[in-house]
Amino acid sequence: MLLGLPSTLLSIITGFLSSSSPTATTSPSLTPLTFHLRHQHAVTSDSRIIFSDVSQLSSFGPETTYTIPRKKVVVQKPSLYANFSDARDLRRSQLEGALDVDWWEDEVPGPALGERDALLQFANMAFDAYYPDNTTEWYDVGGDGWNTSTPWGWLPGEDGMRGHVFVSSDNSTVVIAIKGTSAGWLVGGGGPTTGKDKLNDNLLFSCCCARVGPTWSTVCPCYKGGNKCDRNCVENALVEKEDLFYPVGLNLYTNVSYMYPDANIWVTGHSLGGSLSSLIGVTFGVPVVAFEAPAEKLAANRLHLPTPPSTQHITHMYHTADPIAMGACNGVTSSCAIGGFAMETRCHLGQVIRFDTVNRLGWSVDVRTHGIKFVIDKLLGPESEWKEEEKVPEEGGGLWSLFPGWGKKKPEGDRDERNSTKRTRQIPMPKPAFEVEGVDGVCTDCFSWEYGDFDDPATKGTFGCPQ
Ligand SMILES: *[C@@H]1O[C@H](CO)[C@@H](O)[C@H](O)[C@H]1NC(C)=O
Ligand SMILES: *[C@@H]1O[C@H](CO)[C@@H](O)[C@H](O)[C@H]1NC(C)=O
Ligand SMILES: *[C@@H]1O[C@H](CO)[C@@H](O)[C@H](O)[C@H]1NC(C)=O
Ligand SMILES: *[C@@H]1O[C@H](CO)[C@@H](O)[C@H](O)[C@H]1NC(C)=O
Ligand SMILES: *[C@@H]1O[C@H](CO)[C@@H](O)[C@H](O)[C@H]1NC(C)=O
Ligand SMILES: *[C@@H]1O[C@H](CO)[C@@H](O)[C@H](O)[C@H]1NC(C)=O
């Protein structure tokens, strides 16, 4: 809500807020920011990140402008990225505990996600990230430029990481939106995606190399019969293939922060793009909004990411009829199996806004509900089927929500610029993921599996292993 302030005045205000030090941002309210699509990002076949600038004349048109309310968000950053990276190497070489990361708690302007409309803005950005415009000129940061009409990932059926970069009018804040690479077969376009996606998904989000049944070819030779899985084997498989996913995300983030050195960076994405956003958010301590992402806690462990004291700057939105976000995308007869995917993890990082569409709206579990378009149409957009009944005393539930705009003074804090009819809670409360997904506050993935060192010659290669 820009409330008709002259744009020069707005940019002075927002510019002041964002460039001031953390202590100065303790003013109770931050103005919303308006973001425009500024760049596209893609990756070349040799895993270089490239960008293109989106001009006013692009085929996207004006619907790529989003306004997002803000509040202060506490993030945890490694005091030095080099320490994070060293600690990760040591963990990988199993000297865990040898090097701790110093985490630095910081308060940054982040998105205020209390209202459905704010989530909708991010969902639209995540949705936009799927669509390329007619740009033909691409470059890499700090490099000699890169000219190609079709970078990797733009053609139908290609699976390279790509998406959009939105920048606020005052250049203070950047939103990186990452496309979910497996979406082709889910959203309806294209056939099953090829190698990289499936490999990434099955390595990151399955319990043991996508061992689903005897007829499945696994993506790594770690299944040891029964319910046994070789731990070193699954971790090494991911590290060996890691040019696929996480490191590309790290490069994307560092390249964008090189382009916008003074900006706050937020990351958003849908599906695999959401999981990757979260891993980037854990690594660099930046706010994240992820949609329908497969649960990434196990992946963070397998990638040996040092664990910050809190991951609450990461927000997941998903609903219970989506078998991918719920980790119910497995079994030889499930709809996921048709594409050869096994997404079995259930524990997310950060906080979760979970729409229980199965119990509240009677939806049946179906992979077709996973698409970001579906989520926008049915849950977040103006035609939303969701009616939140939860009472939120501090925002005025009950009567207040029956008579929007009546009585009650504006709540203090980040929402006081908002239109009062929108102030009732329209979405479930965000809660720590382990509370929503765990039992007694502990969420455990793959509990029916036994992980250990089973790599002895007696069992090697006997069960379902391709080599
Ligand atoms: C940008 O990304 C490339 C990989 O595409 C990486 O090699 C390079 O170091 C990054 N540059 C900066 C300034 O972050
Ligand atoms: C891209 O599309 C827009 C609008 O359709 C058009 O004005 C512009 O000339 C196109 N640019 C290129 C490089 O084709
Ligand atoms: C972090 O890295 C710096 C520079 O490499 C080093 O001096 C410092 O000891 C490291 N901190 C920790 C906790 O390892
Ligand atoms: C890319 O190609 C266009 C025309 O094809 C040219 O004008 C531009 O200078 C090239 N950019 C780079 C970085 O080589
Ligand atoms: C934001 O950055 C763009 C491109 O670097 C520049 O043209 C524009 O003037 C900047 N806007 C403000 C308000 O600083
Ligand atoms: C608040 O928004 C609603 C619809 O979004 C609109 O009808 C109403 O006029 C707005 N009220 C104010 C005070 O801006």
Side-chain angles (χ1 to χ4, degrees), residues 237-411:
L238 195 54
V239 171
E240 279 161 24
K241 307 261 167 54
E242 77 170 332
D243 61 306
L244 296 179
F245 178 82
Y246 174 68
V248 182
L250 298 188
N251 280 336
L252 172 63
Y253 178 87
T254 53
N255 278 197
V256 171
S257 58
Y258 176 85
M259 291 163 75
Y260 294 92
D262 301 320
N264 291 304
I265 296 181
W266 304 344
V267 192
T268 190
H270 165 248
S271 193
L272 185 58
S275 308
L276 179 53
S277 301
S278 168
L279 297 178
I280 292 173
V282 169
T283 305
F284 296 103
V286 294
V288 168
V289 186
F291 297 93
E292 308 296 332
E296 79 290 26
K297 187 165 164 256
L298 182 73
N301 288 336
R302 286 186 178 169
L303 286 164
H304 300 280
L305 306 191
T307 320
S310 158
T311 52
Q312 299 300 300
H313 53 287
I314 289 157
T315 305
H316 283 281
M317 179 262 152
Y318 65 86
H319 68 83
T320 54
D322 176 1
I324 292 179
M326 293 292 287
C329 203
N330 50 34
V332 272
T333 57
S334 81
S335 44
C336 298
I338 298 163
F341 287 79
M343 265 101 125
E344 303 167 287
T345 54
R346 292 158 187 266
C347 306
H348 291 82
L349 296 169
Q351 58 177 357
V352 164
I353 299 175
R354 177 148 99 175
F355 289 71
D356 188 359
T357 52
V358 168
N359 290 312
R360 291 275 295 276
L361 300 179
W363 292 9
S364 36
V365 174
D366 188 322
V367 75
R368 285 169 299 184
T369 67
H370 173 73
I372 186 69
K373 178 89 170 64
F374 191 90
V375 168
I376 289 172
D377 289 349
K378 304 285 185 184
L379 292 177
L380 299 177
E383 309 295 314
S384 173
E385 293 175 14
W386 189 260
K387 302 280 176 279
E388 182 60 35
E389 287 152 22
E390 199 169 348
K391 288 203 173 87
V392 187
E394 67 277 10
E395 289 189 24
L399 275 181
W400 168 239
S401 56
L402 293 174
F403 303 104
W406 273 32
K408 274 229 169 148
K409 274 178 61 82
K410 295 189 284 190

Side-chain angles (χ1 to χ4, degrees), residues 3 419-422:
L3 302 176
N419 180 324
S420 61
T421 61
K422 289 187 175 170

Side-chain angles (χ1 to χ4, degrees), residues 11 38 169-171:
S11 63
R38 199 76 75 76
S169 340
D170 62 351
N171 294 341

Side-chain angles (χ1 to χ4, degrees), residues 79-84 86-87 98-102:
S79 56
L80 268 175
Y81 178 66
N83 293 141
F84 181 94
D86 290 350
L99 179 62
D100 278 331
V101 176
D102 281 334

